[in-house]
């Protein structure tokens, strides 16, 4: 259950070279939204687009492929995508919203659908929720400290950031690669991430991430009826290359291991909150 | 020998009010008082000292049927006080919002009015809840009209109930070309439904006016030809939108406005001497109880040129279109005649809108305490807000809300009607009693009049 409910899981990558060029992994999110936009499954998608500052994302509503391409790549800092959820149905006039986000953001979407507090007209307008795997996130100042101080690289010169194989990696435009052990990044993590019990976006229609699949490929969980419909059509349209997850390395076992680690560790943090003080504790949002 | 009958509470309108009616032996009203008994919330007093950006958002919460009126009037009163001119595309968005709100409000009021009315040519009263035709189709049409209007309001206003988009200086956001197209499509659908609905309602109200009697409490109550006539004047600032003190030629005049207390205007203490247990549903106030309109009325009595005036759809029609139908049904018919203008208003404004135009003024002055006012033609009539803003803070705020104007006027219009039809007259005004009851009335010694109740 650490991987949530799903109908199928595969390794996949986009069949579109233009998308793959700037994608973090297999270009799944960008390709899915590009296909869904073209087919009218969605009429806009809330994505983490670029902002004035390097590697600081800004939520945007993409209604063209160009805007989707501009949002490729992981930014390891907070992007409040849900802040546009209601506005998408208002001044943007959307009827079918696509949204990408981390596990917590998928939870927010589902909660808004079931308990729409101040979220009039949102519940029935979510057309495709794509979740990404997420171990933890960093405030922007943390990212600056990690990249500029620990990696000793200017953020402006960075081409790609990645967390993998126990390390934080920074690749520059001019070809330099820096890596630091994840251990030194721990103190920079956003504290709110330490009570999160979801690794692979259990509540999304489709969730995707790098762990489990080879470089350039993604692991994809197809979870809901809606996700299955869209994924099936996209496959039929030739949008993706896929491989059975059993045939790729390191495969689902690693995903399961990391998910278990995250949940076990954070569950402990949650339990510790109950007895944080002397004779009193801190709030637990799950009870 | 006059008797006194009291209907409390009244139903099928917004808010909490009652009717205290002095009637003759035939049950005809000789003097009627219709008064708010909604608790005073005191928005105008608590606004003092708050920022000019916050007060319109609080004022919006006066009423959830016409929050657009209070948001826009309050925002524009702030803008008038500080001298801020908003960009044209922001005004167009506000205009679309105004039309959308009026469309939804009039359609909602149809639901409230229809149960008094008859299917034309029959003795069958209309029950909007019935699954039977032809009423079912009418109810569905009303639902769709309101859905269209609220959706358009949501797109341009940010929210259908308590719009989030308006701000001092314009609007927070322009809309996208897709949203523009969506409004256009919805308005085109709404235009046809509005036309059908308007024709249906006018036929229903004309039919009521031509009837000899209406059934109330199992009795046939005669309908007088002059049901709801009064000799008060009319007041309206514009056919659709409004006016403000920033206009070159403002259409509302603060110097013509005065206000008196309910104490000076309503009846004194009366004992209830007539009781009807059959009055639907639950009967009237039991005989022997006391009513004291002077003390119980929770609104002030605003006067224009020293008289109570009528505001609302008919006032707009009289002022700008030479409309001349009097009485309760004349007022109802005027309201239905506004239907199509709402849809066309949306279409024209959304056509003129530049979706890449700017919607916030470059400079928003902070104010020096100058008096500014803005009148918004709410669904129920002229809603005037007055404000003095200094250094971004509200120093003084006053709201003259449509139903506040209509309370004394409608009370006069009750004279000559069988008491059983008094509520039909009240409903013709589409009262919004929450709207009317937001104020504390202060007498010349700065004592709050409502305190008299506590003494």
């Amino acid at each position: 259950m650490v991987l949530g409910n799903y109908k199928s899981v595969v390794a996949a990558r986009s069949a579109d070279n233009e998308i793959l060029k700037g994608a973090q992994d297999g270009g799944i999110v960008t390709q899915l939204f590009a296909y869904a936009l073209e087919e009218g499954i969605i009429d806009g998608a809330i994505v983490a687009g670029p902002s004035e500052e390097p590697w600081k994302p800004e939520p945007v509503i993409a209604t063209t492929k160009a805007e989707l391409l501009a949002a490729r790549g992981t930014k390891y800092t907070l992007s409040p995508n849900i802040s546009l959820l209601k506005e998408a149905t208002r001044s943007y006039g959307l009827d079918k919203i696509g949204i990408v986000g981390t596990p917590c953001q998928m939870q927010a979407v589902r909660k808004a659908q079931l308990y729409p507090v101040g979220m009039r007209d949102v519940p029935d307008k979510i057309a495709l929720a794509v979740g990404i795997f997420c171990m933890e996130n960093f405030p922007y100042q943390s990212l600056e400290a990690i990249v500029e101080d620990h990696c000793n690289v200017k953020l402006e010169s960075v081409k790609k950031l990645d967390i993998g194989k126990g390390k934080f990696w920074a690749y520059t435009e001019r070809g330099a690669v820096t890596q630091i052990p994840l251990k030194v990044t721990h103190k920079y993590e956003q504290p709110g991430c330490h009570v999160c019990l979801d690794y692979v976006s259990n509540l999304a229609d489709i969730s995707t991430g790098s762990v489990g699949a080879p470089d350039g490929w993604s692991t994809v969980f197809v979870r809901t009826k809606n996700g299955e419909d869209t994924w099936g059509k996209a496959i039929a349209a030739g949008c993706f290359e896929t491989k059975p997850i059993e045939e790729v390395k390191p495969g689902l076992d690693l995903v399961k291991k990391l998910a278990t680690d995250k949940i076990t560790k954070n569950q402990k943090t949650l339990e510790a909150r109950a007895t944080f003080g002397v004779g009193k504790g801190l709030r637990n949002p799950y009870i | 020998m006059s008797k006194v009958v009291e209907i409390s509470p009244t139903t099928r309108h917004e808010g909490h009010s009652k009717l205290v009616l002095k009637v003759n032996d035939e049950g005809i009203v000789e003097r009627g008082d219709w008064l708010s008994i909604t608790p005073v919330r005191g928005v105008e007093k608590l606004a003092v000292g708050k920022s000019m950006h916050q007060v319109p958002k609080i004022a919006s919460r006066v009423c959830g049927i016409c929050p657009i009126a209070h948001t826009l009037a309050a925002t524009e009163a702030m803008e008038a006080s500080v001298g801020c001119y908003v960009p044209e595309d922001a005004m167009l968005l506000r205009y679309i919002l105004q039309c959308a709100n009026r469309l939804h409000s009039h359609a909602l009021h149809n639901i409230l009015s229809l149960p008094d009315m008859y299917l034309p040519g029959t003795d069958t009263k209309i029950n909007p809840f019935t699954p039977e035709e032809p009423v079912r189709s009418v109810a569905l049409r009303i639902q769709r009209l309101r859905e269209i209007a609220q959706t358009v309001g949501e797109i341009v206003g940010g929210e259908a109930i308590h719009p989030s988009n308006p701000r001092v200086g314009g609007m927070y956001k322009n809309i996208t070309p897709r949203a523009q197209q969506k409004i256009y499509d919805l308005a085109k659908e709404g235009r046809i439904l509005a036309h059908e609905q308007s024709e249906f309602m006018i036929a229903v109200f004309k039919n009521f006016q031509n009837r000899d009697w209406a059934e109330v409490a199992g009795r046939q109550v005669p309908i007088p030809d002059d049901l709801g006539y009064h000799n008060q004047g009319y007041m309206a600032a514009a056919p659709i939108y409004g006016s403000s003190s920033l206009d070159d030629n403002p259409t509302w005049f603060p110097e013509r406005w005065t206000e008196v207390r309910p104490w000076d205007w309503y009846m004194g203490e009366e004992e209830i001497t007539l009781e009807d247990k059959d009055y639907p549903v639950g009967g009237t106030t039991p005989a022997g109880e006391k009513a004291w309109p002077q003390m119980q009325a929770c609104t002030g009595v605003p006067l224009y040129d020293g008289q109570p005036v009528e505001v609302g759809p008919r006032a707009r029609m009289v002022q700008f279109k030479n409309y001349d139908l009097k009485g309760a049904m004349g007022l109802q018919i005027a309201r239905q005649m506004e239907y199509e203008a709402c849809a066309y208003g949306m279409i024209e404004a959304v056509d003129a809108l530049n979706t890449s135009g700017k919607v916030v003024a470059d400079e928003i002055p902070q104010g020096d305490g100058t008096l500014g006012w803005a009148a918004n033609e709410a669904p129920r009539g002229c809603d005037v807000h007055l404000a003095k803003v200094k250094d971004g803070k509200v120093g003084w705020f006053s709201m003259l809300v449509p139903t506040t104007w209509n309370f004394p006027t409608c009370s006069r219009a009750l004279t000559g009607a069988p008491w059983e039809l008094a509520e039909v007259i009240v409903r013709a005004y589409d009262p919004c009693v929450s709207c009317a009851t937001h104020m504390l009335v202060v007498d010349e010694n700065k004592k709050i009049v409502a305190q008299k109740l506590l003494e």
Side-chain angles (χ1 to χ4, degrees):
Chain A
M1 276 311 287
V2 293
L3 301 182
N5 296 321
Y6 56 89
K7 292 172 184 287
S8 61
V9 52
V10 290
R13 71 173 179 192
S14 166
D16 182 338
N17 274 328
E18 192 191 4
I19 287 175
L20 280 180
K21 221 179 288 168
Q24 185 76 7
D25 298 300
I28 305 297
V29 180
T30 309
Q31 176 69 75
L32 259 177
F33 282 152
Y35 171 74
L37 263 182
E38 199 176 297
E39 291 302 307
I41 296 167
I42 59 174
D43 41 33
I46 304 173
V47 296
S51 74
E52 311 260 289
E53 294 189 66
W55 293 95
K56 186 176 194 174
E58 187 170 305
V60 295
I61 293 178
T63 53
T64 62
K65 188 173 172 188
E67 287 167 308
L68 288 172
L69 289 173
R72 283 171 302 178
T74 303
K75 294 98 179 168
Y76 286 98
T77 183
L78 315 174
S79 176
N81 286 6
I82 308 303
S83 62
L84 280 179
L85 192 57
K86 184 157 87 171
E87 196 57 37
T89 71
R90 306 298 202 261
S91 59
Y92 293 88
L94 299 194
D95 296 304
K96 292 170 282 183
I97 302 168
I99 181 162
V100 61
T102 52
C104 52
Q105 293 175 327
M106 291 301 107
Q107 290 166 11
V109 169
R110 299 313 186 199
K111 186 163 184 182
Q113 287 187 278
L114 285 171
Y115 303 97
V117 179
M119 282 284 189
R120 183 170 159 151
D121 268 354
V122 167
D124 60 340
K125 294 205 162 53
I126 308 293
L128 186 60
V130 181
I132 48 181
F133 302 176
C134 177
M135 190 57 94
E136 74 276 308
N137 205 346
F138 302 94
Y140 188 65
Q141 280 172 316
S142 293
L143 190 68
E144 278 182 314
I146 293 168
V147 176
E148 305 223 325
D149 300 344
H150 291 281
C151 296
N152 202 18
V153 167
K154 284 291 281 178
L155 265 172
E156 286 86 346
S157 65
V158 169
K159 189 170 103 184
K160 179 173 179 170
L161 295 170
D162 196 21
I163 293 177
K165 304 175 184 78
K167 295 192 168 58
F168 186 102
W169 305 75
Y171 302 85
T172 71
E173 296 278 0
R174 299 187 64 250
V177 185
T178 321
Q179 39 137 310
I180 56 166
L182 270 188
K183 200 172 58 186
V184 306
T185 69
H186 288 333
K187 69 171 174 185
Y188 297 110
E189 287 165 7
Q190 174 184 232
C193 295
H194 297 152
V195 294
C196 173
L197 306 177
D198 186 351
Y199 178 52
V200 288
S201 281
N202 295 352
L203 297 182
D205 289 318
I206 294 171
S207 48
T208 181
S210 66
V211 176
D215 286 351
W217 288 70
S218 300
T219 303
V220 178
F221 290 93
V222 180
R223 298 183 178 280
T224 61
K225 176 87 180 56
N226 178 34
E228 200 177 33
D229 283 355
T230 309
W231 184 253
K233 283 186 209 157
I235 295 285
C239 291
F240 294 104
E241 273 182 81
T242 63
K243 287 181 189 169
I245 195 77
E246 300 76 25
E247 289 172 19
V248 302
K249 293 277 182 208
L252 215 50
D253 287 345
L254 181 65
V255 186
K256 202 177 279 175
K257 181 189 172 297
L258 291 181
T260 310
D261 290 352
K262 173 175 178 178
I263 292 164
T264 314
K265 187 180 87 181
N266 290 345
Q267 189 71 56
K268 275 195 194 128
T269 309
L270 263 175
E271 281 158 16
R273 287 173 66 88
T275 54
F276 186 87
V278 178
K280 53 190 170 186
L282 298 174
R283 234 182 112 249
N284 180 348
Y286 296 95
I287 53 174
Chain B
M1 210 354 241
S2 320
K3 288 181 176 172
V4 177
V5 59
E6 182 187 85
I7 302 169
S8 177
T10 44
T11 63
R12 279 189 276 119
H13 62 73
E14 200 282 344
H16 199 48
S17 74
K18 70 175 182 178
L19 283 158
V20 181
L21 307 167
K22 229 178 240 182
V23 301
N24 67 15
D25 292 339
E26 281 76 49
I28 302 297
V29 175
E30 292 173 334
R31 149 112 201 207
D33 275 359
W34 171 49
L35 53 136
S36 164
I37 46 175
T38 301
V40 172
R41 289 165 293 169
V43 169
E44 291 153 305
K45 286 283 169 271
L46 65 83
V48 173
K50 293 198 162 52
S51 96
M52 64 174 170
H53 296 285
Q54 189 185 9
V55 168
K57 305 294 177 189
I58 298 172
S60 175
R61 272 71 184 172
V62 160
C63 173
I65 299 176
C66 44
I68 278 73
H70 300 303
T71 301
L72 294 181
T75 307
E76 289 171 10
M78 304 302 156
E79 287 160 356
S81 174
V82 301
C84 177
Y85 292 85
V86 311
E88 194 189 334
D89 288 309
M91 281 317 295
L92 286 169
L93 290 171
R94 287 182 184 180
Y95 190 89
I96 298 169
L97 180 59
Q98 172 86 353
C99 291
N101 181 246
R102 188 178 291 178
L103 181 61
H104 118 80
S105 178
H106 284 1
L108 178 65
H109 185 245
N110 287 169
I111 294 277
L112 303 176
S113 305
L114 279 172
D116 292 326
M117 299 294 135
Y118 289 84
L119 279 174
T122 73
D123 288 336
T124 309
K125 273 199 170 177
I126 297 173
N127 167 14
F129 297 107
T130 181
E132 282 163 31
E133 294 293 359
V135 179
R136 181 69 176 161
S137 300
V138 174
L140 288 174
R141 186 165 62 209
I142 292 173
Q143 298 279 25
R144 181 59 187 151
L145 272 169
R146 293 196 59 234
E147 189 179 22
I148 288 170
Q150 294 292 61
T151 306
V152 171
E154 212 166 73
I155 296 170
V156 288
E159 201 65 84
I161 302 172
H162 307 313
S164 52
N165 203 3
R167 53 161 296 165
V168 174
M171 301 293 262
Y172 281 101
K173 302 201 82 159
N174 202 331
I175 62 173
T176 62
R178 169 183 290 273
Q180 183 182 34
Q181 192 59 48
K182 189 169 168 182
I183 292 172
Y184 198 61
D185 292 346
L186 286 166
K188 280 199 288 185
E189 182 189 347
R191 178 190 61 144
I192 293 162
L193 297 178
H195 174 72
E196 291 169 1
Q197 184 63 14
S198 157
E199 293 216 315
F200 173 80
M201 293 304 297
I202 289 171
V204 164
F205 290 129
K206 278 190 173 158
N207 173 71
F208 187 87
Q209 187 62 76
N210 292 333
R211 285 179 68 89
D212 297 326
W213 54 268
E215 185 270 328
V216 182
R219 299 191 294 271
Q220 290 192 356
V221 178
I223 302 172
D225 288 341
D226 59 354
L227 182 76
Y229 277 43
H230 66 73
N231 287 318
Q232 306 298 331
Y234 298 101
M235 183 186 88
I240 302 237
Y241 193 81
S243 176
S244 96
S245 52
L246 290 181
D247 293 352
D248 293 338
N249 297 301
T251 50
W252 189 79
F253 305 93
E255 61 280 8
R256 289 168 69 182
W257 159 61
T258 51
E259 188 164 61
V260 296
R261 305 167 303 169
W263 190 259
D264 307 319
W265 205 87
Y266 281 104
M267 282 191 275
E269 192 169 25
E270 300 283 346
E271 186 179 323
I272 312 298
T273 49
L274 174 64
E275 176 186 348
D276 181 358
K277 289 197 170 65
D278 295 330
Y279 188 77
V281 174
T284 62
T285 302
E289 291 205 7
K290 297 273 197 325
W292 196 354
Q294 281 178 331
M295 294 299 284
Q296 292 166 334
C298 296
T299 56
V301 179
L303 309 172
Y304 208 52
D305 297 334
Q307 280 292 318
V309 289
E310 181 186 317
V311 297
R314 174 168 51 203
R316 294 190 279 259
M317 290 279 187
V318 169
Q319 207 96 318
F320 299 100
K321 306 233 159 91
N322 297 319
Y323 185 78
D324 63 357
L325 274 183
K326 297 185 78 175
M329 292 309 111
L331 175 48
Q332 289 279 26
I333 288 165
R335 182 169 298 109
Q336 314 315 314
M337 290 170 70
E338 292 194 326
Y339 254 122
E340 286 174 83
C342 298
Y344 282 106
M346 287 192 252
I347 290 173
E348 281 164 24
V350 84
D351 249 352
L353 181 74
N354 170 9
T355 55
S356 17
K358 74 168 182 186
V359 290
V360 188
D362 292 329
E363 201 196 335
I364 301 167
Q366 294 300 297
D368 57 7
T370 308
L371 172 74
W373 60 263
N376 180 281
E377 280 296 334
R380 287 152 194 79
C382 193
D383 180 18
V384 188
H385 290 200
L386 305 94
K388 289 179 186 170
V389 179
K390 189 165 189 278
D391 302 327
K393 296 271 194 292
V394 175
W396 180 80
F397 186 52
S398 184
M399 302 161 73
L400 308 172
V401 178
T403 301
T404 320
W405 293 99
N406 280 337
F407 259 111
T409 312
C410 175
S411 295
R412 284 286 183 263
L414 297 168
T415 306
W419 72 265
E420 295 94 333
L421 295 183
E423 276 199 272
V424 175
I425 298 171
V426 166
R427 280 182 204 117
Y429 286 82
D430 189 6
C432 189
V433 182
S434 295
C435 282
T437 313
H438 53 274
M439 52 175 61
L440 292 173
V441 181
V442 180
D443 69 12
E444 58 274 16
N445 302 318
K446 300 289 171 212
K447 269 177 73 180
I448 294 164
V449 172
Q451 274 177 354
K452 279 192 179 174
L453 282 172
L454 304 171
E455 283 162 8

